[in-house]
């Protein structure tokens, strides 16, 4: 069967930890979208691993698959694999031949466009990893796919078609000199061909490439358990998020089908677990109706609400939760839990269960608040409106909960749900009731063992 892991908020919900939590019963973990902008932090046997591309299950010796919905930077991929090998692991990672390749010029163009947008305060706050430009080329039918790296004639043909277009964009649209770029080889056909043909040779030598849909279907037919791992979160889904402050792919459960080659019936016939952080964070621009403020540093989009009476509280939660980007190190904006957001996410993906992470971070507060509904133009809304402009005008209607004390969280995890402080249980049960979805797991610390497991989805 399959279990699909979906971020229910704006990313950074702790998806990698839940993949690791249920990892014992998993044979294959497949990423179905995103690229090396997707940071996962996994703690295993006391060791912390920060990954941006390799599926989290690789830490536990599972087969990892990067599906056709992913965009793959081979430089990042092999750096991560080599680092894991240096730490004594032997990750088994397969790459879909239909997955698209992030090329150096994609990163160059990502940086240039964000810089231009910043001049009119329209920057998205991307990681600068070239993710969006790669998906643009995929949609524009001029992309380079992993399978192309295996065929030198096809690879050169693809590069000779697309590179002149990118040079023209840099020179004629943005008025820049290619020779003045930090990496002028990023727009040199011969240099790109040599480097990426070498990556293709390594893919071949290590037998890494697969037809993802057929590979995963065969695993399921053989009785193996497959976990489908999303990156980012629902509210930055290209179709269902707060456009244009979104990623360029579909982190929602529908993306698990298109991004792996498995049918919607297979994905929908399994479990779909929404990962919920017990409060809310985001990196980058866009509205945040429950935002507390107090962002440290230069984070786009926080100026209007970034300072104020809740600054000390926001900073406390940020420090307690280690709320800094896994990939970028940027401080995350902090807000109270947003129920209209979670109702939207539950509907879009059809969660069969949720996992609530970081409940321990809120311990010690006298009061914990939740955005229960919104008010927009005098009307109360239970879910998110369709446009970002409408969402930006929403005011959160807050419900307050009595706080709960600090505890020996390892002991709580060992003893189970009944050992949670009563007010923490009331908070969890409120979320379950509002989403009409049971909490399969409750994270009360960063380690795999610091989680209350109430349901084993496999």
């Amino acid at each position: 069967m399959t279990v699909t892991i979906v971020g229910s908020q704006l990313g950074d919900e702790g998806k990698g930890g839940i993949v690791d939590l249920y990892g014992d019963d998993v044979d294959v973990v497949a990423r179905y979208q995103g690229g090396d902008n997707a940071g996962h932090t996994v703690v295993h046997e006391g060791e912390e691993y920060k990954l941006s591309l390799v599926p989290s299950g690789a830490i536990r010796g599972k087969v990892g698959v990067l599906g056709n919905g992913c965009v793959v930077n081979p430089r990042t991929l092999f750096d991560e694999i080599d680092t894991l090998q240096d730490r004594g692991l032997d990750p088994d990672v397969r790459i879909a031949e239909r997955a698209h390749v992030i090329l150096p010029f994609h990163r160059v163009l990502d940086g240039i466009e964000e810089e231009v947008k910043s001049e009119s305060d329209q920057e998205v706050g991307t990681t600068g990893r070239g993710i969006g430009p790669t998906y643009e080329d995929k949609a524009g039918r001029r992309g380079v796919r992993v399978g192309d790296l295996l065929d030198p004639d096809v690879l050169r043909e693809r590069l000779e078609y697309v590179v002149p277009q990118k040079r023209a964009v840099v020179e004629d649209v943005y008025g820049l000199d290619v020779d003045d770029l930090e990496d002028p080889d990023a727009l040199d056909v011969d240099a790109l061909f040599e480097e990426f043909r070498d990556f293709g040779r390594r893919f071949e030598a290590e037998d890494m490439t697969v037809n993802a849909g057929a590979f995963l279907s065969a695993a399921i037919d053989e009785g193996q358990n497959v976990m489908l791992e999303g990156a980012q979160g629902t509210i930055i889904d290209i179709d269902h998020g707060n456009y244009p402050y979104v990623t360029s792919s579909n982190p929602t459960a529908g993306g698990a089908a298109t991004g792996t080659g498995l049918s919607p019936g297979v994905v929908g016939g399994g479990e779909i677990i929404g990962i919920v952080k017990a409060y809310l964070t985001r990196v980058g621009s866009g509205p945040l109706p429950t935002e507390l403020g107090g962002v440290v540093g230069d984070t786009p989009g926080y100026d209007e609400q970034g300072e104020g009476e809740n600054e000390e509280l926001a900073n406390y939660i940020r420090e307690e939760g280690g709320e800094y980007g896994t990939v970028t190190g940027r401080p995350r904006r902090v807000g109270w839990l947003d129920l209209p957001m979670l109702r939207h996410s539950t509907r879009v993906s059809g969660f069969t269960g949720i996992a609530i992470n970081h409940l321990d971070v809120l311990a010690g507060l006298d009061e914990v608040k939740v955005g229960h509904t919104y008010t927009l133009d005098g009307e109360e809304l239970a879910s998110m409106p369709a446009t970002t402009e409408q969402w930006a005008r929403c005011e959160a209607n807050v419900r307050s909960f009595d706080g709960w004390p600090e505890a020996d969280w390892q002991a709580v995890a060992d003893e189970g749900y009944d050992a949670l402080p009563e007010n923490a249980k009331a908070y969890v049960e409120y979320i379950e009731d509002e989403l009409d979805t049971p909490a399969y797991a409750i994270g009360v610390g960063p380690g795999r063992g610091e989680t209350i497991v109430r349901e084993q989805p496999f």
Side-chain angles (χ1 to χ4, degrees):
M1 66 171 293
T2 66
V3 171
T4 302
I5 302 296
V6 178
S8 67
Q9 295 157 309
L10 290 142
D12 310 314
E13 300 96 346
K15 297 177 291 295
I18 299 302
V19 173
D20 187 55
L21 175 70
Y22 292 127
D24 286 342
D25 296 323
V26 176
D27 300 292
V28 181
V29 179
R31 278 270 309 273
Y32 57 84
Q33 47 77 224
D36 58 333
N37 58 339
H40 295 287
T41 301
V42 177
V43 179
H44 177 52
E45 295 182 350
E47 292 283 321
E48 185 175 80
Y49 299 89
K50 292 184 181 293
L51 305 173
S52 60
L53 193 54
V54 171
S56 304
I59 301 300
R60 301 186 54 77
K62 310 301 179 179
V63 176
V65 177
L66 295 176
N68 54 276
C70 294
V71 290
V72 178
N73 185 334
R75 292 176 176 176
T76 303
L77 176 64
F78 287 124
D79 281 349
E80 286 193 11
I81 289 174
D82 292 345
T83 298
L84 292 174
Q85 289 174 339
D86 289 344
R87 295 179 66 176
L89 300 178
D90 186 22
D92 183 354
V93 181
R94 314 298 178 91
I95 319 299
E97 291 185 12
R98 290 185 171 95
H100 279 248
V101 178
I102 300 173
L103 292 153
F105 56 73
H106 290 128
R107 295 179 67 132
V108 168
L109 288 166
D110 199 349
I112 292 172
E113 184 166 357
E114 277 289 277
E115 179 67 25
V116 170
K117 285 182 174 180
S118 71
E119 296 172 3
S120 56
D121 294 324
Q122 297 183 65
E123 73 271 37
V124 174
T126 77
T127 57
R129 299 298 178 95
I131 310 300
T134 306
Y135 279 114
E136 286 180 41
D137 281 350
K138 175 179 179 176
R141 293 165 292 188
R142 53 181 173 268
V144 175
R145 303 201 292 181
V146 166
D148 299 336
L149 306 189
L150 311 181
D151 187 323
D153 292 335
V154 172
L155 175 59
R156 182 168 283 280
E157 180 182 344
R158 297 278 192 268
L159 292 172
E160 288 179 346
Y161 176 77
V162 72
V163 170
Q165 294 184 27
K166 303 305 179 184
R167 291 182 71 96
V169 170
V170 170
E171 294 174 338
D172 299 338
V173 176
Y174 293 115
L176 302 175
D177 190 329
V178 169
D179 293 332
D180 292 337
L181 297 176
E182 185 175 337
D183 181 12
D185 283 350
L187 288 155
D188 183 288
V189 170
D190 291 334
L192 292 171
F193 176 80
E194 292 301 324
E195 179 182 7
F196 283 81
R197 179 64 187 115
D198 282 345
F199 288 136
R201 292 189 182 99
R202 182 168 175 180
F203 283 140
E204 289 178 303
E206 300 181 18
D207 194 26
M208 294 177 68
T209 61
V210 295
N211 180 341
F215 181 85
L216 295 171
S217 294
I220 293 169
D221 289 344
E222 292 168 7
Q224 296 186 43
N225 287 330
V226 175
M227 182 169 280
L228 308 178
E229 179 182 22
Q232 292 96 31
T234 299
I235 311 307
I236 55 172
D237 182 290
I238 185 71
D239 288 298
H240 304 292
N242 62 309
Y243 189 91
Y245 303 107
V246 292
T247 194
S248 301
S249 57
N250 293 111
T252 42
T258 57
T260 61
L262 296 173
S263 76
V266 170
V267 175
E271 296 269 9
I272 300 173
I273 302 178
I275 314 305
V276 178
K277 187 178 284 183
Y279 46 96
L280 187 60
T281 62
R282 82 174 300 168
V283 171
S285 303
L288 203 62
T290 63
E291 185 163 18
L292 287 167
V295 170
V296 180
D298 183 19
T299 300
Y302 80 88
D303 294 329
E304 291 184 8
Q305 301 181 64
E307 305 294 337
E309 60 182 342
N310 292 313
E311 179 180 354
E312 183 176 346
L313 177 57
N315 285 331
Y316 171 82
I317 293 173
R318 184 178 300 107
E319 294 304 318
E320 288 294 306
E323 296 298 349
Y324 295 87
T326 302
V327 171
T328 63
R330 289 183 294 186
R332 295 173 182 148
R333 298 161 62 192
V334 177
W336 294 120
L337 192 68
D338 186 317
L339 260 293
M341 177 185 293
L342 294 181
R343 294 185 189 102
H344 170 75
S345 299
T346 302
R347 176 183 55 77
V348 167
S349 287
F351 298 148
T352 57
I354 57 174
I356 302 173
N357 284 325
H358 291 315
L359 192 67
D360 57 303
V361 172
L362 299 178
L365 299 179
D366 293 333
E367 184 180 44
V368 175
K369 296 181 180 180
V370 171
H372 179 71
T373 58
Y374 300 144
T375 296
L376 173 63
D377 300 334
E379 179 183 358
E380 186 176 22
L381 302 181
S383 186
M384 291 178 64
T387 74
T388 298
E389 290 72 22
Q390 290 171 327
W391 193 37
R393 300 203 311 273
C394 286
E395 294 184 9
N397 300 312
V398 173
R399 283 196 179 180
S400 297
F401 293 79
D402 291 333
W404 50 89
E406 288 285 358
D408 181 342
W409 295 111
Q410 183 62 66
V412 169
D414 292 341
E415 293 178 36
Y417 182 73
D418 288 342
L420 269 180
E422 288 302 315
N423 289 343
K425 284 195 282 189
Y427 188 71
V428 168
E429 289 162 12
Y430 161 78
I431 298 169
E432 290 180 306
D433 290 345
E434 289 297 324
L435 302 184
D436 194 23
T437 306
Y440 283 1
I442 301 163
V444 292
R448 181 173 181 247
E450 296 171 288
T451 305
I452 299 167
V453 180
R454 301 171 76 195
E455 185 75 30
Q456 292 285 357
F458 285 106

